[in-house]
């Protein structure tokens, strides 16, 4: 099948550049599909999912991470006590739609929460779709609560999950993982290593390390001990209380909470 050059850019730099057979994505004006032979086209992407048919005969289905809203972050924390949050349920439905639309081997993946969603979709799609998934890529995405990580569903896909975290990971180490980590060298500092644009590349692949930093291990151990001391209902109460306080501030987005405000 014919291919065309595809470039996906962000304010921080080029996210993807390469050949593709097709792309299906959501733009700010609606859903869009482009095949080879289309005239040059440039558009702003909207919130949601995208999948790209690659020249090697596979389809990469990408899942986005958390947006900047407080309610979006609350859903992330809800994963510590809920067996399924709405974004995970939507991720399964999206993977099923991609599989139904394109009869090719699948690769699923995402960064941050998107990595968690990709892994969850791999667990709970139907058997026929799961059999077509070659690899699940989780780029510094959190793990799962105790019930999910120990479930039979996770065991059906765990050997296909490839999780990458920076050496000082604070996000990707959250909750529980059963798959091994590939540790990527980052030139960021602390939690800002979560930004994949700080990850170092050499010769077309990630520069890797053999061990995470002491700070990452300390954060991992501390958070897990805290979670293990709380029942699921206690976790719910704590997170609901924090959310109520943040909502009372009047801010809708997490970034607004850190803005300097003139209260005089």
């Amino acid at each position: 099948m014919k291919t065309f050059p595809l470039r996906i850019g962000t304010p921080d730099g080029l996210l993807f550049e390469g050949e593709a057979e097709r792309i299906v994505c959501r733009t700010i004006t609606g859903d869009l599909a482009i095949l080879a032979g289309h005239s040059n086209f440039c558009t702003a992407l909207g919130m949601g999912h995208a999948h790209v048919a690659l020249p090697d005969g596979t389809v990469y289905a990408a899942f986005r991470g958390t947006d900047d809203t407080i309610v979006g972050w609350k859903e992330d924390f809800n994963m510590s006590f809920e067996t399924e949050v709405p974004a995970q349920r939507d991720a399964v439905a999206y993977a099923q739609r991609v599989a139904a639309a394109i009869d090719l081997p699948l690769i699923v993946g995402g960064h941050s929460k998107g990595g968690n969603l990709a892994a969850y979709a791999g667990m709970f799609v139907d058997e026929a779709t799961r059999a077509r998934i070659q690899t699940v890529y989780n780029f510094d995405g959190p793990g799962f609560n105790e019930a999910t990580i120990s479930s039979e569903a996770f065991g059906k896909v765990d050997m296909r999950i490839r999780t990458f975290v920076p050496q000082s990971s604070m996000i990707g180490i959250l909750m529980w993982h059963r798959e091994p980590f590939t540790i990527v060298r980052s030139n960021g500092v602390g939690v800002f290593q979560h930004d994949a644009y700080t990850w170092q590349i050499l010769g077309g692949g990630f520069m890797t390390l053999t061990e995470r930093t002491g700070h990452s291990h300390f954060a991992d151990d501390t958070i897990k001990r805290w979670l293990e001391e709380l029942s699921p209902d206690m976790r719910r109460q704590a997170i609901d209380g924090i959310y109520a306080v943040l909502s009372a501030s009047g801010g809708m987005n997490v970034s607004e909470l850190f803005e300097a405000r003139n209260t005089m």
Side-chain angles (χ1 to χ4, degrees), residues 153-229:
F154 187 84
K156 293 179 179 180
V157 76
D158 61 343
M159 297 301 292
R160 283 172 274 178
I161 299 175
R162 303 291 181 266
T163 297
F164 297 77
V165 301
Q167 72 265 26
S168 295
S169 176
M170 299 291 178
I171 305 299
I173 51 87
L174 292 174
M175 294 191 289
W176 283 266
H177 293 262
R178 275 167 47 186
E179 76 283 6
F181 293 153
T182 296
I183 303 165
V184 180
R185 183 187 295 275
S186 167
N187 64 4
V189 177
V191 71
F192 296 104
Q193 290 187 5
H194 185 57
D195 182 353
Y197 287 106
T198 69
W199 296 9
Q200 302 298 287
I201 296 174
L202 180 65
F206 287 125
M207 296 178 65
T208 60
L209 299 169
T210 59
E211 187 55 88
R212 294 179 2 241
T213 64
H215 290 94
S216 178
H217 282 288
F218 177 78
D220 188 11
D221 293 342
T222 301
I223 293 170
K224 281 189 173 65
R225 280 200 305 271
W226 178 73
L227 288 173
E228 288 169 347
E229 292 172 356

Side-chain angles (χ1 to χ4, degrees), residues 8 14 36 56 79 89 93 111 147 156-157 180 229:
I8 302 176
L14 195 62
D56 65 0
M79 292 192 297
R89 183 167 57 250
H111 174 258
K156 293 179 179 180
V157 76
E229 292 172 356

Side-chain angles (χ1 to χ4, degrees), residues 1-8 16-25 32-41 51-55:
M1 185 177 289
K2 294 182 179 180
T3 64
F4 64 94
L6 174 65
R7 292 166 60 92
I8 302 176
F16 176 87
E17 182 174 23
E19 293 295 311
E21 293 183 354
R22 80 184 80 174
I23 179 171
V24 179
C25 59
L32 174 73
I34 293 179
L35 301 172
H38 199 287
S39 60
N40 290 341
F41 190 83
H51 64 268
V52 179
L54 300 171

Side-chain angles (χ1 to χ4, degrees), residues 70-131:
I70 295 175
V71 68
W73 279 77
K74 182 178 185 296
E75 184 184 68
D76 296 352
F77 292 116
N78 285 354
M79 292 192 297
S80 70
F81 60 84
E82 291 189 352
T83 55
E84 182 181 72
V85 298
Q88 291 172 328
R89 183 167 57 250
D90 291 345
V92 175
Y94 164 63
Q96 297 278 188
R97 290 198 304 271
V98 173
I102 304 176
D103 187 19
L104 292 171
L106 301 173
I107 300 171
V108 296
H111 174 258
S112 192
K113 183 181 181 179
N116 174 283
L117 298 181
Y120 190 88
M123 286 184 245
F124 291 102
V125 291
D126 62 47
E127 292 289 346
T129 299
R130 186 185 302 111

Side-chain angles (χ1 to χ4, degrees), residues 129-141:
T129 299
R130 186 185 302 111
R132 291 168 53 191
I133 296 177
Q134 294 185 341
T135 311
V136 178
Y137 286 107
N138 179 357
F139 297 103
D140 207 31

